[in-house]
Amino acid sequence: MKHSSQKGIVIILVLVFAAVFGLSVSALTSFIFSQAQLGAGKEVREQALNIAEAGLEYYHWFLTHNPGDTQDGTGGLGPYVHTYSDPETGEIGSFSLDIVGNESCGILQSIDVTSTGTVNSDPKFTRTVFGRHAAPSVAEYSYIIGDDVWAGADREITGPYHSNGGIRMDGTNNSVVTSAVSTWSQSFNCNGGSASPGVCGDGPNSTLWRYPASELSFSDIEANFSSIKTAAIADGIYLAPYGSTETYIFNPYGGPTDTAADGYHLIFNADGTVDIYQVTSTTGYWGYLSGIGYTADYHIISGESFIERRTVPTDCSVIFVEDKVWIEGTVKGKVTVIAADLVNSGYDPDVIISGDIDYSVQDGSDGLTVISEFGIYLPRDSADTLSIHGIFVAQGDRFGRPYYSGSLKTQLTIKGSIVSSQRVGTSWSSGSTIISGYQNRDSIYDRLQTTNPPPFTPSRTLIPEYILWQEL
């Protein structure tokens, strides 16, 4: 009886272990199968991503041969589906393209391409990528300068800094500094006029200095004023020349005399409107600029009359001023201001920053581009602490503040980009002592504007590419 009981226990144990072993094998088999499925799923997802990216590459190629075509050459509405083949195995999937052109004033600014990749072997797995196709804008840089330049020890620069000439970098740069020359000779270079390396100086981040780099052509970034003027007249805001151009009487014993002051004063409001004033009189000061000498500037408004408050059109947010213009205020939306005179031969108007320029929100949905046919200047009465946001392009001269005797300011903060044909200068020193302009200056490029700048922002190159690429 005892022997039979032991045999029963053994049988039960065998059955239990068999059941445990069966469950273990089943679990292991299930795990192996699920891992195999997971691996296969990952492979399919990677294939789908590769196919989706191939869709973006295809449309880049297509736009190279068919600029501005947002309908894949069909003349009809999308989406546009293309098969994708492997050279060895043949067709393995397809990509579907959704294409949207972004326009301002009826002129194409950029093209958004959304590509969804699908694999034939398992269509339930799809991957989608998005790209914005456009000519890269100058907003990618903190500074683009067409001449030799000296960044003083007080400077704090965030964002790429480029000059087509030599650079003396005594300030702190937090991104690459590039010069288009191997060597340069200038009175303010590092060797007192003898040849210096393309980038030199006492700045702490010399590992980020690069030279010689490719030159950035100012002819390539030159704005097409005529077409922008036409667009502004049709759908934006256009301000015609006011009276005659400015003429000055030289007075060696006192301030200069303005015989025909004119221009407009724009004050932006956070609700998307702009107050427009006609400038009727100005006060002039003698200011010194490198390469020019002392000139009468008339940058301070002494009399003006209100014209109107206008809402900046959202579908053509361009203000074309065919005269000198003063700018300040809080900008809402993406706005571009042009100061260029295509009527009076020989007169290239300036832009004057008359006060702080800010955005209504700081999430990238607001932006300002200011393009002057000549220069963009900070006047003698600029604020002791001045903060400006925007992309500022001085086509003919420079962005700067002339030397004014005894006019010393505390802090200048620029968030955005400066593009200047000539040497930039907002501070003047004698030896190591700042004697005019701003004693402290911070320059921070606005990365939120790089992929979606205001309309007609100049490009750093005319060759379009994907300026934004991300998986959705």
Side-chain angles (χ1 to χ4, degrees), residues 88-353:
E88 297 180 356
T89 60
E91 181 182 332
I92 61 172
S94 62
F95 55 79
S96 175
L97 302 176
D98 287 297
I99 305 164
V100 177
N102 301 309
E103 295 186 348
S104 183
C105 308
I107 300 174
L108 188 67
Q109 303 291 312
S110 63
I111 297 174
D112 290 345
V113 183
T114 303
S115 175
T116 300
T118 304
V119 180
N120 290 343
S121 62
D122 199 342
K124 70 175 178 293
F125 289 111
T126 63
R127 300 285 286 273
T128 301
V129 291
F130 168 85
R132 174 162 293 162
H133 198 268
S137 82
V138 297
E140 294 181 349
Y141 285 78
S142 178
Y143 280 85
I144 297 177
I145 303 166
D147 202 358
D148 302 330
V149 67
W150 181 359
D154 63 300
R155 300 293 301 281
E156 180 84 23
I157 302 168
T158 300
Y161 187 104
H162 174 84
S163 173
N164 287 341
I167 301 173
R168 177 170 174 175
M169 178 57 68
D170 290 337
T172 301
N173 57 281
N174 297 314
S175 186
V176 293
V177 176
T178 55
S179 166
V181 301
S182 299
T183 61
W184 60 300
S185 299
Q186 182 62 268
S187 60
F188 58 83
N189 72 357
C190 300
N191 294 330
S194 300
S196 289
V199 185
C200 63
D202 296 326
N205 294 328
S206 59
T207 55
L208 296 173
W209 299 352
R210 307 283 187 269
Y211 60 90
S214 298
E215 180 175 333
L216 296 181
S217 172
F218 271 73
S219 61
D220 287 348
I221 65 175
E222 186 172 347
N224 189 339
F225 293 132
S226 180
S227 63
I228 299 175
K229 175 182 174 180
T230 300
I233 292 173
D235 300 305
I237 296 176
Y238 170 72
L239 300 177
Y242 164 48
S244 61
T245 60
E246 291 180 319
T247 57
Y248 310 117
I249 297 174
F250 180 76
N251 178 0
Y253 303 106
T257 301
D258 180 10
T259 63
D262 54 11
Y264 293 89
H265 184 193
L266 305 180
I267 302 177
F268 288 95
N269 304 304
D271 61 358
T273 62
V274 57
D275 292 337
I276 303 172
Y277 292 81
Q278 198 169 65
V279 177
T280 56
S281 62
T282 58
T283 299
Y285 286 91
W286 294 109
Y288 177 85
L289 288 171
S290 301
I292 295 178
Y294 281 96
T295 57
D297 55 33
Y298 297 96
H299 294 338
I300 298 176
I301 298 172
S302 56
E304 61 183 351
S305 59
F306 179 73
I307 300 176
E308 63 179 330
R309 173 172 289 186
R310 294 276 299 273
T311 298
V312 180
T314 56
D315 58 346
C316 186
S317 53
V318 174
I319 304 175
F320 193 99
V321 184
E322 204 142 23
D323 214 326
K324 186 173 182 177
V325 60
W326 286 255
I327 299 177
E328 62 182 297
T330 301
V331 176
K332 180 177 178 59
K334 302 281 187 174
V335 182
T336 296
V337 177
I338 310 289
D341 193 334
L342 308 185
V343 176
N344 297 296
S345 177
Y347 176 54
D348 300 331
D350 298 322
V351 172
I352 310 303
I353 307 299

Side-chain angles (χ1 to χ4, degrees), residues 41 56 88 99 121 176 186 200 232 313 362 368 395 445 447 456:
L56 289 190
E88 297 180 356
I99 305 164
S121 62
V176 293
Q186 182 62 268
C200 63
Q362 306 298 324
L368 174 68
Q395 293 282 118
Y445 96 116
R447 65 177 184 83
F456 305 109

Side-chain angles (χ1 to χ4, degrees), residues 28-66:
L28 181 60
T29 302
S30 177
F31 174 75
I32 293 173
F33 180 72
S34 65
Q35 289 299 303
Q37 282 188 316
L38 180 62
K42 286 184 177 180
E43 182 180 1
V44 171
R45 284 177 55 79
E46 287 303 310
Q47 284 184 320
L49 178 61
N50 292 337
I51 294 172
E53 290 178 332
L56 289 190
E57 294 289 0
Y58 157 75
Y59 215 75
H60 174 67
W61 170 87
F62 177 83
L63 289 171
T64 301
H65 295 82
N66 305 275

Side-chain angles (χ1 to χ4, degrees), residues 343-383:
V343 176
N344 297 296
S345 177
Y347 176 54
D348 300 331
D350 298 322
V351 172
I352 310 303
I353 307 299
S354 53
D356 287 348
I357 299 175
D358 201 357
Y359 297 149
S360 67
V361 294
Q362 306 298 324
D363 61 1
S365 56
D366 295 341
L368 174 68
T369 291
V370 177
I371 306 174
S372 169
E373 192 175 16
F374 196 64
I376 301 176
Y377 304 112
L378 309 181
R380 189 182 189 279
D381 68 344
S382 60

